């Protein structure tokens, strides 16, 4: 009989722990984490990251292609223009947030510096131009460029098979005009 009473008491204790959310007091300065909020089906999707586009071939409205590839100690970027011209750039990390930009044609020549800011790569080139490389909501990459004369323009690349609307085409034509 004593065993049955102990089992019943243990059952009540376990039921109380699971239904009441048992918690302990912090010890030695450790904080107790609050329970995670319930996921809502209507919650907004997280922002796209550059990690999601690494290794993918992307296309822009003008027909150029871009690929970011992870390499030892950094990233490699290759842009193939609509005319077939190839521009290869290597981003080599100095630490987890900073690095140098190298034109792949001259492996020992640093042409700029970059900084990772969480969502984007901010590049400052030695000639005064700058770029911000970021993932766009369509699953591609956008590069916001600024020349030394403060002229700004943006180019977006999308996953292969992306269908460009007439408005996209008109905006691209206006930018290049």
């Amino acid at each position: 009989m004593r065993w049955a009473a102990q089992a019943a008491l243990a059952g009540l204790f376990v039921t109380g722990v699971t239904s009441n959310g048992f918690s302990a007091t912090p010890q030695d300065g450790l904080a107790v984490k609050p329970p995670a909020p319930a996921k809502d089906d209507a919650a907004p999707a997280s922002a796209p990251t550059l990690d999601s586009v690494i290794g993918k071939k992307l296309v822009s409205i003008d027909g150029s292609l871009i690929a970011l590839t992870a390499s030892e100690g950094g990233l490699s970027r290759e842009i193939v223009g609509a005319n077939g011209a190839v521009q290869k750039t290597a981003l080599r990390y100095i630490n987890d947030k900073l690095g140098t930009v190298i034109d792949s044609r001259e492996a020992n020549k640093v042409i700029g510096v970059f900084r990772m800011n969480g969502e984007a790569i901010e590049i400052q080139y030695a000639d005064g131009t700058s770029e911000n490389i970021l993932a766009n909501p369509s699953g591609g990459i956008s590069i916001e460029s600024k020349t030394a004369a403060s002229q700004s323009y943006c180019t977006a690349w999308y996953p292969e098979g992306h269908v460009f609307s007439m408005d996209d085409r008109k905006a691209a034509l206006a930018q290049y005009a």
Side-chain angles (χ1 to χ4, degrees):
M1 176 84 166
R2 187 170 185 201
W3 178 82
Q6 287 176 343
L9 183 59
L12 287 173
F13 176 73
V14 168
T15 302
V17 167
T18 58
S19 64
N20 293 334
F22 179 78
S23 64
T25 57
Q27 295 179 357
D28 299 328
L30 297 176
V32 176
K33 289 185 178 180
K39 290 190 176 186
D40 185 4
D41 290 338
S46 61
T49 64
L50 287 174
D51 289 339
S52 65
V53 295
I54 292 181
K56 294 181 181 177
K57 188 187 241 183
L58 306 167
V59 63
S60 76
I61 197 164
D62 69 356
S64 64
L65 302 172
I66 190 170
L68 287 178
T69 309
S71 60
E72 188 175 332
L75 293 171
S76 295
R77 176 180 77 179
E78 181 175 309
I79 299 174
V80 180
N83 62 358
V86 178
Q87 177 191 11
K88 293 181 182 181
T89 309
L91 306 173
R92 299 288 174 239
Y93 291 104
I94 295 172
N95 61 32
D96 60 337
K97 300 258 186 214
L98 301 171
T100 58
V101 182
I102 301 164
D103 184 341
S104 294
R105 292 175 291 180
E106 298 180 49
N108 295 326
K109 184 177 180 186
V110 174
I111 60 171
V113 294
F114 73 90
R115 179 173 72 107
M116 300 290 290
N117 74 5
E119 300 91 33
I121 301 172
E122 299 171 353
I123 300 175
Q124 295 290 321
Y125 291 99
D127 66 0
T129 60
S130 64
E131 290 179 343
N132 285 331
I133 303 171
L134 49 111
N136 62 39
S138 299
I141 296 173
S142 294
I143 298 182
E144 300 167 352
S145 302
K146 190 173 187 179
T147 66
S150 296
Q151 293 175 325
S152 298
Y153 57 96
C154 181
T155 305
W157 287 269
Y158 300 92
E160 289 184 298
H162 178 81
V163 178
F164 295 98
S165 70
M166 188 56 71
D167 289 337
D168 291 337
R169 294 173 192 274
K170 288 178 184 177
L173 183 60
Q175 182 176 350
Y176 290 111

